[in-house]
Each structure stands twice: as C-alpha cells, then as structure tokens.
Amino acid sequence: MTLDTDADYDALVVGGGVAGLTAATFLARADLATLVVDGDESILRRNAHLENVPGFPAGVNPRLFADMLRDQAERNGAEIRAGHVEGVTGEIDGFTAAVDDGTAVTAARVVAASWSDLDYLDGLGVEARDAGSKRYAEEHALSRTSVDGVYAAGRIAERYHQAVVAAGHGAEAAITLLHDAEVPFYHDWVVPEGYFTDRGREVPPGCEEITAAEQERRAAESQETMREYFAEEHADRQRTHPSLVDDDLGRVDPEWYDDGGGGGDTGDGTAEGDD
C-alpha cells in the first residue's frame, strides 16, 4: 500500500477495457495497490481488425490487443477480478464498492472506466449528463468528477469511441489521481545509466537509470514477448453485435467457436475499442 489509509486497495478501477487497463497500468507502476473489477465483454473484442493504434503499422487483432493490455496491467502489479460493481459509497478513508459476488471492496480512490452507465456511482452523487439510455460522468478537470477521489476515463466520460483516445484518457485519469494523492511521479522514464547522475542530479521519482546490459536484457525480453504474442492466430473468433445472434448469452454465434475454443473474455462493457 502506498496511500496511508486502511482501505483494501489504493485504487479501484471499475472496468477492464482500454481506458481501465491503461489507468491500472499507470497506477500499479507508481506502486499503488490497484484492483480492476472487470465485468461485461468489451466492444473492443467485436472488432474485425483494430487500426489507427500507434505502434501497429498494419493494425492488430483486437482480441490480441485486449489480451496484451490485460497482461501489461498484471505484469506491472495490478490485480484483476471478474465481476460487476453494483454500487459505491463514500467512507472516511475512501470508498466501499459492492460487487455482485456478494463481496465488498474498499479503496482510497476510484477510477470509473466502464460503459456509459453511471448508476453504480449514484450513491456518491457524481454529477452526470443523461443522454437517452446512456449516462456520462461530468468531467470537471483532467478526468476529475464532482466527487473528490473519483475519476472518470474513457466512454463513461463521453470520450470519443476510439481505442487510442480511451488509452490516453485512462493514462490521464491515473496521472491526475497520482498528483492529487501526492504520490511522487515524474514521466515514467527509463533512461540510460548516467542520464541524471552524471550531471550531479538525483534520479527523479518515476524514473529509472539502467545499465547498458540491463537495457539489452529488456530489449531482448520485449522482442521475445512480442514474438510469442504474434506467433499464432488468436484463438478467439470475432464477435458480432448482440442483436444479430441467437445463443444462450445473446452475444456469440456458437458456430463461430472452434472446437473447444471460444469465449472466456471478460471485458468491461466499455466501447473505447471500436475503431
């Protein structure tokens, strides 16, 4: 725990889509005990091919991209739990979230990064804008909501329906939370040995100096990891719009599954991934 509270977690992220997982990665890298509660399938996984995302010149399989985001958050220390947050209440040391499995989770801060339905935050009085079937969180400044300690990222904050926009907004929400909580944070730089110290400067918070040997090791690990991700076609088949199929869950045509393959994804219902 980094924040000085009695809560179970420093930060609770509601939603495991692009915005939520990006926020979780930034928070966990800053040593905050971070939990992601991940509910419904992310619309990202229904895409046929994800394009316009920096770093993938020819695009990328959206289900693979979603898996990579999840792995990145967990690799940096975030905990991810399946479930739906049904309500959040305010406490002296933060917030308590009721999860649909009957458990309660306490957290010093909350990042709402779910689909555009704000009902679970009604108990906190978060200002919202109603737009038909959707309810968006009113953003006051840099992902802050009207309630101190509660932040909104991605589609729930009425951001554009694009993966890269959602990722950026998730990062913004996390960094704003870090600033508000006075957690030392710089620019998340990993720099060559001596970049700061050879000039008589201390390495700033959030930065790291690494030796040439460590740089080579990390580069090799990165290359090998990416080769493993792209070595084979992703096992999950493309989803389609729920209204167009007739299976038990109302989402996926059973004929689209390979033998023994198929589902198992647990997105958060966010739509940030549509491209």
Side-chain angles (χ1 to χ4, degrees), residues 5-31:
T5 72
D6 294 326
D8 299 326
Y9 296 92
D10 292 320
L12 167 66
V13 179
V14 184
V18 178
L21 291 174
T22 303
T25 296
F26 274 74
L27 295 169
R29 280 184 61 82
D31 294 328

Side-chain angles (χ1 to χ4, degrees), residues 112 143 178 210:
S143 303
L178 294 173
I210 60 174

